[in-house]
C-alpha cells in the first residue's frame, strides 16, 4: 500500500467502508432518517457510520438461538461509548451518566480499558435522546469509536504537581484538537441546523483515517496506560517540574486475526523525541502518516502498526521529519517503565486524598449482592468525589478529605464493596473485556468468567506461596486484545467456546509482548496448566524477578518442557 518516496501507489480496490466514508457527506449518510424510522436495527452503512458517533449496534447473544427457534428477531440494542480524555469527569457528570444507565441502558456503566465509559442495551429509538442527554452534561460520544483518533489516555493519578497537571492538560488538548470538524453529530443527535458553511476536515480529509487511531501519554514512572500498545505513544520526560520533551513511540496495536499470519500484535517503536511545544505538531504528523500510508483496501491490515512494520522505523522517522519540517531529535534518556499502585488511599499533595476502588471488569452495577453502583453514587453525592477512570477498568475517587475516610469506608463496606487491600494483587490487576453477551466478535466468555478464573489461578499461586506477587492477568473473548491480553504477565485469549490460548512472558511494566504457550486450554484447566510455571518461578526466580520476566528469561521451549 505504501510506495517508496517519489513513486505513485498502484491503484487498489478500496474497502467498502472507504467508499461509504467518501459518500457519507462527512459522516451523515442517512443516519438521521434511519434513527427516526421504525424497527430495531440500522442498515450496514448506518452501522458503520454510527461508530464515528460513538455507538455500535449489538444483539443479546445469550437469547439469539432461542429467539431464532421461536421465529423472533434477535434482541438488538446499541452500545454507546463516552469520550473522556484521561478518564476524567466531574461528580455531576458521573451522576448524570449513572442516571442515564437506568433511563436508557441496562442499569450498568462499563468502565473501559481506555478510560472511557460505556452504556449497553440502548434501544434504537432511545439512542438519540441518550446522546443528547450526554451532550447536556458537556461530555460527548463523538469520535469515541470509528476511523479517527479515539479517547486520549494518560496517567489517572490526581497528584497535584506540575507533571500531572501537564499530562491531564495534554490529553484534553490533543483530544479536542483531533475531534472531527464535521457538524454531522450536532445535526443528527442534537437537532442543530446545518451550519450552512462549507465544511472541511482539514486533518482527516473526506475519508477520515484508514482505521482507528489510539494515543496515550505516559511517563516512565507511570505506564499504567500501556503506552506502547498505542498507535502513538507519547512518553513525557520530566526533570522535576520541567518537561524536557516527549519520546515518540509509533506503531503499537494488539489486534490480530486467527489464521492470518500477516496480522499480529506489535509494541510501538520509539522513533525519536520532540520538545514540549511540538506535541500537537508531532501528533498531527503521525495521524497524517496513518492517513496517507495506511491500507485502505484491507481493513484487517489498516492499522498504523503495519505501515511501521512494513516500511521500517528509519522510514517512519524520516517521513515524520518531513511532515513536521525538521528531523526528529534522538530519544531522550529515560529510566525503565514502572506501573505504580493506583488503588487504595493516597495523598494527592494538596491536602486531599484519592481512594482507588477496584471495579471487576469495569462493570459498575448493583449485582450478586454487591451494591457497587449505589455505593459509588453515594460517595459522589455525599463526599463530592471527583471520579477518574483508570486503564485498569477501575475508578479513583479524588479530592476526598482524610477525615471522611472512616465514613467512606463504612459506606462502601455497607454496600458490600471489596477494597483493594482485601484482594490479591492478581485480582487487583486482572482485566477482562465484555465479550459475551454483548460483543458480536466474542468467541468465548471473558467478563463473566473473570472471577472464577482469578480464583483458579489464585489457588495455584497460593500453593507455591506466591499469592502476594504482583502479576497482571488479561482475559479477552477473542484475539482482538481489548483487555490488552498480549501485554501483561498472563494473557488468556478466547479461541473456541470454553477454550483459551495462554500467553506468558510479557511484563508488568508493559514493555514487551507475551508469547503463546498453549493454543487451546479448557477454561477449567487454566490454573493447573499454570501450576508448573508457578512452581518453577517459586524455585528458580532470580532476586526481585517478576513472573513475566521469569517466563521471558526461560523462554517458550523451556516453559513448555515444564
Ligand atoms: Fe476493543 C472491537 C470493546 C479497548 C482492540 N472492542 C471492539 C468492539 C467494539 C467489538 C466490535 O467491533 O463489534 C467491543 C465492544 C464490546 C462491548 O460489548 O462493549 C470492544 N475495546 C472494547 C472495550 C470496551 C474493552 C474493555 O474491556 O474495556 C475497550 C474500549 C476502550 C475505549 O474506551 O475506547 C476496548 N480494543 C481495546 C483495546 C485496548 C486499548 O486500546 O488500550 C484494543 C487493543 C489495542 C488495539 O487497538 O490494537 C482493542 N477492539 C479492538 C479490535 C482490534 C483492532 C485491530 O485493529 O486489530 C477490535 C475489532 C476491530 O476493530 O475490528 C475491537
Ligand atoms: Fe469483543 Fe474480542 Fe474485544 Fe473482547 S477482545 S470485547 S471479545 S472484540
Amino acid at each position: 500500500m505504501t510506495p517508496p518516496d517519489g513513486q505513485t501507489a498502484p491503484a487498489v480496490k478500496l474497502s467498502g467502508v472507504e467508499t461509504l466514508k467518501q459518500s457519507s457527506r462527512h459522516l451523515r449518510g442517512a443516519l438521521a432518517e434511519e434513527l427516526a424510522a421504525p424497527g430495531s436495527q440500522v442498515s450496514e452503512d448506518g452501522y458503520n457510520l454510527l461508530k464515528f458517533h460513538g455507538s455500535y449496534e449489538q444483539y443479546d447473544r445469550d437469547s439469539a438461538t432461542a429467539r431464532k427457534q421461536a421465529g423472533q428477531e434477535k434482541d438488538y440494542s446499541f452500545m454507546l461509548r463516552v469520550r473522556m480524555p484521561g478518564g476524567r469527569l466531574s461528580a455531576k457528570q458521573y451522576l448524570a451518566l449513572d442516571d442515564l444507565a437506568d433511563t436508557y441502558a441496562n442499569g450498568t456503566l462499563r468502565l473501559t480499558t481506555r478510560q472511557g465509559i460505556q452504556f449497553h442495551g440502548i434501544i434504537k429509538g432511545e439512542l438519540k435522546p441518550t446522546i443528547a442527554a450526554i451532550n447536556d452534561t458537556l461530555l460527548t460520544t463523538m469520535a469515541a469509536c470509528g476511523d479517527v483518533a479515539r479517547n486520549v489516555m494518560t496517567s489517572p493519578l490526581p497528584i497535584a504537581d506540575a507533571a500531572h497537571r501537564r499530562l491531564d492538560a495534554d490529553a484534553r488538548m490533543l483530544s479536542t484538537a483531533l475531534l472531527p470538524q464535521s457538524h454531522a453529530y450536532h445535526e443528527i443527535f442534537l437537532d442543530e441546523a446545518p451550519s450552512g458553511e462549507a465544511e472541511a476536515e482539514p486533518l482527516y480529509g473526506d475519508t477520515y483515517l484508514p482505521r482507528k487511531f489510539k494515543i496515550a501519554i505516559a511517563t516512565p514512572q507511570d505506564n499504567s496506560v500501556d503506552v506502547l500498545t498505542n498507535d502513538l505513544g507519547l512518553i513525557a520526560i520530566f526533570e522535576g517540574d520541567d518537561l524536557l520533551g516527549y519520546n515518540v513511540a509509533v506503531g503499537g496495536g494488539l489486534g490480530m486475526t486467527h489464521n492470518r499470519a500477516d496480522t499480529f500484535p506489535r509494541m510501538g517503536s520509539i522513533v525519536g523525541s520532540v520538545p514540549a511545544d511540538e506535541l500537537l505538531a508531532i501528533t498531527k504528523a503521525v495521524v497524517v502518516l496513518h492517513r496517507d500510508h495506511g491500507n485502505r483496501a484491507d481493513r484487517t491490515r489498516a492499522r498504523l502498526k503495519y505501515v511501521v512494520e512494513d516500511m521500517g522505523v528509519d522510514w517512519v522517522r524520516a517521513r515524520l521529519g518531513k511532515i513536521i519540517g525538521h528531523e526528529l531529535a534522538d530519544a531522550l534518556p529515560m529510566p525503565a517503565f514502572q506501573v505504580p499502585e493506583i488503588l487504595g488511599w493516597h495523598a494527592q499533595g494538596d491536602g486531599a486524598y484519592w481512594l482507588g476502588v477496584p471495579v471487576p471488569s469495569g462493570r459498575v452495577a448493583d449485582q450478586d449482592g454487591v451494591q457497587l453502583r449505589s455505593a459509588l453514587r453515594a460517595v459522589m453525592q455525599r463526599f463530592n468525589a471527583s471520579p477518574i477512570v483508570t486503564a485498569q477498568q477501575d475508578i479513583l475517587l479524588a479530592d476526598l478529605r482524610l477525615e471522611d475516610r472512616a465514613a467512606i469506608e463504612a459506606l462502601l463496606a455497607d454496600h458490600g464493596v471489596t477494597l483493594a487491600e482485601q484482594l490479591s494483587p492478581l485480582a487487583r490487576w486482572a482485566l477482562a473485556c465484555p465479550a459475551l453477551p454483548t460483543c458480536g466478535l466474542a468467541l468465548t466468555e471473558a467478563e463473566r468468567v473473570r472471577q472464577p478464573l482469578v480464583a483458579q489461578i489464585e489457588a495455584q499461586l497460593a500453593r507455591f506461596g506466591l499469592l502476594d506477587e504482583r502479576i497482571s492477568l488479561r482475559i479477552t473473548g477473542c484475539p482482538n486484545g481489548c483487555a490488552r491480553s498480549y501485554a501483561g504477565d498472563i494473557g488468556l485469549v478466547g479461541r473456541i467456546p470454553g477454550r483459551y490460548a495462554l500467553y506468558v512472558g510479557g511484563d508488568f511494566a508493559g514493555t514487551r509482548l507475551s508469547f503463546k504457550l498453549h493454543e487451546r486450554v479448557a477454561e477449567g484447566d487454566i490454573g493447573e496448566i499454570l501450576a508448573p510455571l508457578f512452581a518453577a518461578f517459586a524455585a528458580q526466580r532470580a532476586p526481585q524477578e517478576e513472573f513475566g520476566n521469569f517466563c521471558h528469561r526461560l523462554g517458550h521451549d523451556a516453559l513448555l518442557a515444564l
Side-chain angles (χ1 to χ4, degrees), residues 61 433-436 439-444 446 475-483 485:
R61 295 187 56 189
C433 74
L436 296 168
C439 179
L441 306 178
L443 305 170
T444 62
I475 309 164
T476 57
C478 88
N480 281 319
C482 296
S485 30

Side-chain angles (χ1 to χ4, degrees), residues 349-373:
D350 56 357
Y353 284 73
W354 88 79
L355 169 63
V357 178
V359 181
S361 300
R363 184 68 65 181
V364 180
D366 287 345
Q367 64 187 15
D368 305 328
V370 179
Q371 311 298 306
L372 176 62
R373 186 175 154 216

Side-chain angles (χ1 to χ4, degrees), residues 228-240:
L228 298 179
T229 63
N230 286 261
D231 295 272
L232 170 59
L234 296 155
I235 304 140
I237 311 292
F238 288 92
E239 202 172 71

Side-chain angles (χ1 to χ4, degrees), residues 58 112-114 118 120 211-212 214 254 438 482 484:
Q58 303 182 318
T112 77
T113 53
R114 292 194 67 76
Q118 284 188 181
H120 288 105
R211 208 59 162 80
K212 60 180 78 169
K214 297 182 171 179
L254 295 179
T438 51
C482 296
R484 295 189 288 274

